């Protein structure tokens, strides 16, 4: 457990000079660089492959009004993800250590001192949970077992699952890494099976009831089918697809644990993005090869279920699909918990939060057990306290908007760095430099994610105001600003 010196440092937290928020010097006892190329690839893939590819293709087709444009936007989503990866890759090569975005914000936004870092720290601490995937895992597990999902059982399953995952990463880290490698392979294998059916259906090797669906859907694939297709609709569709691609930045969060980090992050990112873009596009092709486009438009979030029903019958649709989504959710929980705990541990080294020394510690098992414990507590609180319904969904959705805010700041920061590398202590001799076109594309995509949530939807989705989630996210930013003002009271008086 923690020794007396650690406890004394925790207790003396309030006595530290708040004007000097340099990282706390801690012995580096974490296991070291133990993530090879395979683990790095599956770390990214597990984070990227969620429920999006199983649920949103119908809405994408409704928004584009065209089979061809639906498929094209999934390829565009992969291109946008590559642009984002190019930005984060340059940052990672310049700063090859764990923490991800907190390192980049701290390097670029130095005035006022530690403002950006403090806001990021507060927001990350408040949103450090795996509630969405834990809840979905509990829900779909009951469905896969043939049970009617109950809210109380779903929450208990979610709490137990995230607790076991945090314990696994704390006490048996090697087993935790093996688990997310195995689940990552399983997720890719499942998507590959779905993707492979598309060409087989189109060639007539696999036959299903209902005639030649592929010929019907692809004969005039670029023709608008009487709905969607407007500029706003295309923008919303592209935004939804971009959310499905998020996760490519996961290696940046644990860069200090990668073997040969500069080489590994490049190769892992390229392999993961090429794999996901190909599988996502081919899975959507398979949906259109099996399901008449009129039925695709009406299938909603159940499109993968309709696909399995067409190919394998009702039993597969009602039992296999929920279990597939369970595998996807569990893999996501494993990697989010693993990566986010490393970020929280790095944030703890800056002595910004209460009990920072505790969060930064590697004890008792030379793992970020304290940060994992905090992740567990936050997940349990957000799983159990909010009432079911709109309020619960609102809490879960809170984490999406700040991601776009920080990604926008980081992209603008890199543009500023390129204009004056000496000012930011940037090494221009590094082998990689993010292309300007990539930065602009990624900046535009994040700008869309910041603007679109403020536009009223045609049909309200919840009883809450449509702007509730982005407004609350902005308020969280101001909470971070207020916390910084309290911590830097002397600095503010010195500049008035």
């Amino acid at each position: 457990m923690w020794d007396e010196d650690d406890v004394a440092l925790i207790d003396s937290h309030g006595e530290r000079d708040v004007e000097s928020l340099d990282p706390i010097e801690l012995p580096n006892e974490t296991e070291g660089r133990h993530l090879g190329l395979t683990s790095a690839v599956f770390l990214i893939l597990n984070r990227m492959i969620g429920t999006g590819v199983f649920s949103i293709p119908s809405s994408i087709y409704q928004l584009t009004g065209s089979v061809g444009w639906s498929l094209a936007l999934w390829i565009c989503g992969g291109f946008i993800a590559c642009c984002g990866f190019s930005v984060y890759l340059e940052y990672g090569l310049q700063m090859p250590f764990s923490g991800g975005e907190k390192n980049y914000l701290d390097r670029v936004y130095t005035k006022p001192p530690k403002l950006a870092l403090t806001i990021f720290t507060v927001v990350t601490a408040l949103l450090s949970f795996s509630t969405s995937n834990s809840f979905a895992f509990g829900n779909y597990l009951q469905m896969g077992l043939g049970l009617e999902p109950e809210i109380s059982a779903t929450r208990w399953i979610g709490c137990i699952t995230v607790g076991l995952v945090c314990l696994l990463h704390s006490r048996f880290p090697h087993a935790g890494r093996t688990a997310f490698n195995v689940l990552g392979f399983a997720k890719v294998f499942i998507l590959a099976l779905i993707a492979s059916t598309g060409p087989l259906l189109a060639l007539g090797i696999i036959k299903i009831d209902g005639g030649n669906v592929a010929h019907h859907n692809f004969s005039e694939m670029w023709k608008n089918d009487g709905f969607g297709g407007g500029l706003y609709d295309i923008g919303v569709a592209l935004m939804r697809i971009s959310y499905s691609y998020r996760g490519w930045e996961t290696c940046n969060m644990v860069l200090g644990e990668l073997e040969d980090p500069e080489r590994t992050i490049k190769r892992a990112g390229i392999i993961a993005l090429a794999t996901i873009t190909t599988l996502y596009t081919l899975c959507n092709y398979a949906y259109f090869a099996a399901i008449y486009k009129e039925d695709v438009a009406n299938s909603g979030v159940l499109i993968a279920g309709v696909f399995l029903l067409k190919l394998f019958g009702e039993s597969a649709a009602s039992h296999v699909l929920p279990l597939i989504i369970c595998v996807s959710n569990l893999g996501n929980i494993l990697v989010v918990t693993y990566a986010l705990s490393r970020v929280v541990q790095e944030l703890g080294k800056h002595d910004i939060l209460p009990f920072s020394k505790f969060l930064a510690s590697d004890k008792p098992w030379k793992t970020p057990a304290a940060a994992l414990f905090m992740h567990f507590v936050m997940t349990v609180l957000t799983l159990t306290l909010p009432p079911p319904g709109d309020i619960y969904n609102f809490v879960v959705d809170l984490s999406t908007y700040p991601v776009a805010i920080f990604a926008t700041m980081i992209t603008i920061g890199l543009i500023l760095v390129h204009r004056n590398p000496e000012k930011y202590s940037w090494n221009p001799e590094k082998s990689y430099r993010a292309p300007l076109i990539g930065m602009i594309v990624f900046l535009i995509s994040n700008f869309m994610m910041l603007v679109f949530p403020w536009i009223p939807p045609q049909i309200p989705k919840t009883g809450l105001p449509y702007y509730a989630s982005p407004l609350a996210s902005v308020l969280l930013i101001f909470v971070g600003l207020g916390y910084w003002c309290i911590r830097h009271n002397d600095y503010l008086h010195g500049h008035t």
Side-chain angles (χ1 to χ4, degrees):
M1 298 300 290
W2 290 274
D3 55 33
E4 294 179 359
D5 292 337
D6 288 334
V7 175
L9 278 169
I10 294 172
D11 291 340
S12 64
H13 167 76
E15 298 176 9
R16 194 160 183 257
D17 181 7
V18 295
E19 291 187 356
S20 177
L21 291 181
D22 295 323
I24 301 171
E25 294 297 329
L26 290 168
N28 186 13
E29 298 177 352
T30 307
E31 290 180 278
R33 298 191 182 276
H34 43 253
L35 294 175
L37 178 61
T38 300
S39 293
V41 170
F42 284 129
L43 195 72
I44 298 173
L45 290 174
N46 261 310
R47 183 82 182 274
M48 293 180 74
I49 302 174
T51 58
V53 70
F54 303 117
S55 59
I56 70 168
S58 174
S59 69
I60 301 303
Y61 174 57
Q62 288 179 328
L63 288 165
T64 60
S66 160
V67 174
W69 276 108
S70 294
L71 297 176
L73 285 191
W74 283 96
I75 298 174
C76 289
F79 174 69
I80 292 172
C82 289
C83 292
F85 176 70
S86 71
V87 172
Y88 279 62
L89 177 60
E90 180 170 349
Y91 275 110
L93 295 178
Q94 290 284 339
M95 293 168 273
F97 35 86
S98 298
E101 292 164 317
K102 78 96 181 171
N103 299 321
Y104 317 147
L105 292 167
D106 195 34
R107 173 70 72 88
V108 176
Y109 297 97
T110 57
K111 298 283 182 70
K114 304 298 179 183
L115 174 59
L117 177 61
T118 300
I119 291 175
F120 179 80
T121 300
V122 171
V123 173
T124 300
L126 292 174
L127 301 180
S128 177
F129 48 75
S130 297
T131 307
S132 178
N133 280 288
S134 299
F135 187 88
F137 177 80
N139 201 51
Y140 282 105
L141 181 61
Q142 294 175 79
M143 292 172 62
L145 296 175
L147 303 174
E148 186 70 25
E150 295 182 0
I151 186 69
S152 60
T154 297
R155 288 176 166 179
W156 274 109
I157 294 171
C159 291
I160 293 170
T161 300
V162 77
L164 291 175
V165 167
C166 289
L167 179 62
L168 183 68
H169 285 320
S170 298
R171 188 66 185 91
F172 308 103
H174 178 72
R177 293 190 293 273
T178 301
F180 69 63
N181 284 343
V182 171
L183 284 173
F185 176 81
K187 291 165 77 168
V188 171
F189 181 73
I190 290 168
L191 286 186
L193 283 179
I194 296 174
S196 65
T197 61
L200 296 177
L201 285 164
L203 294 172
I205 298 174
I206 296 178
K207 299 184 183 296
I208 57 175
D209 295 335
N212 194 335
V213 177
H215 176 75
H216 174 78
N217 287 348
F218 297 129
S219 58
E220 295 181 303
M221 61 185 296
W222 298 102
K223 176 185 175 182
N224 185 275
D225 293 321
F227 48 85
L231 187 61
Y232 175 79
D233 294 326
I234 296 293
V236 172
L238 197 55
M239 182 183 70
R240 291 180 182 175
I241 289 173
S242 295
Y243 277 126
S244 296
Y245 274 95
R246 289 312 295 255
W248 42 259
E249 73 280 10
T250 308
C251 273
N252 292 72
M253 302 165 74
V254 298
L255 203 51
E257 299 184 19
L258 296 187
E259 297 173 359
D260 190 3
E262 295 187 5
R263 185 166 179 261
T264 300
I265 190 175
K266 287 181 184 178
R267 296 173 66 191
I270 292 171
I271 292 171
L273 283 168
T275 301
I276 287 296
T277 303
T278 302
L279 289 177
Y280 277 5
T281 305
L282 289 179
C283 281
N284 279 269
Y285 180 86
Y287 293 150
F288 282 109
I291 310 169
Y292 282 105
K293 56 187 178 182
E294 294 82 5
D295 294 329
V296 170
N298 297 321
S299 62
V301 296
L302 302 176
I303 184 169
V306 175
F307 173 81
L308 291 176
L309 180 65
K310 288 276 189 178
L311 263 67
F312 306 111
E314 186 175 349
S315 178
S318 60
H319 296 290
V320 176
L321 179 61
L323 293 178
I324 288 174
I325 297 178
C326 273
V327 170
S328 183
N329 292 140
L330 185 57
N332 197 284
I333 294 168
L334 278 162
V335 296
V336 168
T337 302
Y338 183 91
L340 195 54
S341 65
R342 270 64 184 175
V343 175
V344 172
Q345 184 184 42
E346 292 298 317
L347 291 172
K349 296 177 182 179
H350 289 270
D351 198 20
I352 294 175
L353 296 172
F355 305 109
S356 286
K357 176 66 177 181
F358 171 75
L359 294 174
S361 175
D362 286 335
K363 297 182 178 182
W365 299 303
K366 295 185 179 180
T367 58
L372 285 162
F373 177 72
M374 173 183 165
H375 185 85
F376 168 69
V377 170
M378 293 299 296
T379 302
V380 169
L381 290 176
T382 50
L383 268 173
T384 57
L385 292 183
D390 293 342
I391 299 296
Y392 178 83
N393 294 330
F394 162 75
V395 172
V396 171
D397 290 342
L398 262 181
S399 60
T400 58
Y401 199 77
V403 170
I405 294 176
F406 294 127
T408 300
M409 293 176 64
I410 286 168
T411 308
I412 293 173
L414 190 58
I415 294 174
L416 296 175
V417 166
H418 281 191
R419 295 185 62 182
N420 191 357
E422 293 81 9
K423 177 182 177 182
Y424 299 97
S425 302
W426 214 251
N427 182 2
E429 297 182 1
K430 285 288 185 180
S431 59
Y432 181 78
R433 179 183 173 95
L436 179 61
I437 184 63
M439 291 188 285
I440 292 175
V441 169
F442 188 54
L443 188 63
I444 292 173
S445 71
N446 280 289
F447 180 74
M448 289 169 54
M449 293 180 187
L450 293 176
V451 172
F452 275 62
W454 297 95
I455 299 175
Q458 293 181 344
I459 302 175
K461 295 181 179 180
T462 70
L464 296 174
Y466 66 90
Y467 52 81
S469 184
L471 177 61
S473 299
V474 172
L475 292 177
L476 280 181
I477 299 294
F478 279 98
V479 169
L481 175 62
Y483 185 75
W484 178 86
C485 291
I486 294 171
R487 299 271 301 189
H488 286 74
N489 186 52
D490 293 342
Y491 174 83
L492 292 173
H493 283 298
H495 288 74
T496 55

